[in-house]
Amino acid sequence: MSRIGKLPIQIPAGVTVAFQDGVVSVKGPKGSLSQKIDPSISVKIENGSLTFEENQEFLQDDPKQRHAFHGLYRALVNNMVIGVSTGFKAELEVVGVGYRVSNQGNVITFELLHSHSIVLVLPAELKVETKTERNKNPLITLECCDKQLLGQVCAKIRSFRKPEPYKGKGIKFVGEVLRRKSGKSAAAK
């Protein structure tokens, strides 16, 4: 049995969870999400909590895979419950002279010293806000109830200009610590 999979998920007030035909559906104030569950895992909803167990019918199958699914689906559904009740937030910082970012609704425009501007159209589930202040790096704030979607969009945005280790320029998460290199001058000494 998975240690993570054994932990029950407490369902907060205002969130409804339903399990039908192998799909867990979660609805809350921030939105609704659903996740298909493998048949080797059974889901029980009782007394305001959600528990996951390995199905006894699938005992002959690969036990490692079953244990992995046990923890995986519990973690995915837990992220869904947290997402629809409180939501997830990510802040990205654009570091570099001449790097600019702006948004119009769910369309973000990046000027990252390429020969052209990069335009990214975000899914409707995401809320985006850009902030540019004098003598500070531009900030991008993304909010969503779906943690997987938020992570994918953040990875896509970072891929436009990954932070480089010499001057620290690029797109990075707020508070992210980069391992810096000293460059050529240190090697000559």
Side-chain angles (χ1 to χ4, degrees):
M1 270 202 177
S2 167
R3 289 185 197 178
I4 299 290
K6 282 194 255 181
L7 300 173
I9 300 172
Q10 298 300 321
I11 301 170
V15 175
T16 58
V17 179
F19 180 65
Q20 262 187 336
D21 301 327
V23 176
V24 173
S25 301
V26 182
K27 289 182 184 173
K30 298 274 185 176
S32 62
L33 298 169
S34 62
Q35 173 67 46
K36 189 172 180 349
I37 304 290
D38 193 79
S40 63
I41 305 299
S42 62
V43 179
K44 291 182 183 172
I45 305 167
E46 50 191 27
N47 300 331
S49 68
L50 196 63
T51 55
F52 293 82
E53 293 176 2
E54 296 178 16
N55 259 346
Q56 298 302 319
E57 303 166 13
F58 294 90
L59 285 179
Q60 310 309 325
D61 290 352
D62 183 19
K64 279 190 173 185
Q65 185 64 52
R66 206 175 55 250
H67 295 327
F69 278 159
H70 191 200
L72 169 75
Y73 287 120
R74 190 263 177 205
L76 290 176
V77 173
N78 187 43
N79 285 340
M80 288 166 47
V81 170
I82 293 169
V84 298
S85 59
T86 59
F88 293 102
K89 185 177 183 178
E91 288 185 318
L92 296 161
E93 185 177 16
V94 182
V95 181
V97 177
Y99 291 3
R100 287 188 213 93
V101 64
S102 62
N103 76 305
Q104 297 255 311
N106 270 16
V107 178
I108 304 179
T109 305
F110 296 91
E111 294 178 23
L112 303 171
L113 300 183
H114 291 294
S115 61
H116 59 285
S117 297
I118 299 172
V119 178
L120 179 66
V121 179
L122 298 176
E125 298 90 28
L126 273 158
K127 292 178 189 162
V128 64
E129 180 185 332
T130 56
K131 186 166 43 169
T132 305
E133 293 181 19
R134 188 174 170 91
N135 297 329
K136 290 191 178 178
N137 295 324
L139 289 175
I140 305 166
T141 306
L142 298 165
E143 290 185 50
C144 187
C145 64
D146 190 353
K147 191 174 185 179
Q148 292 175 343
L149 179 65
L150 183 66
Q152 284 179 333
V153 170
C154 287
K156 179 70 175 171
I157 290 173
R158 268 179 68 105
S159 73
F160 296 145
R161 233 356 144 177
K162 289 185 181 162
E164 52 97 14
Y166 296 101
K167 294 183 180 178
K169 298 192 314 186
I171 301 174
K172 64 177 192 148
F173 288 101
V174 171
E176 180 181 0
V177 178
L178 297 175
R179 189 160 168 233
R180 301 292 293 272
K181 294 182 179 179
S182 55
K184 283 186 190 177
S185 60
K189 291 180 183 181

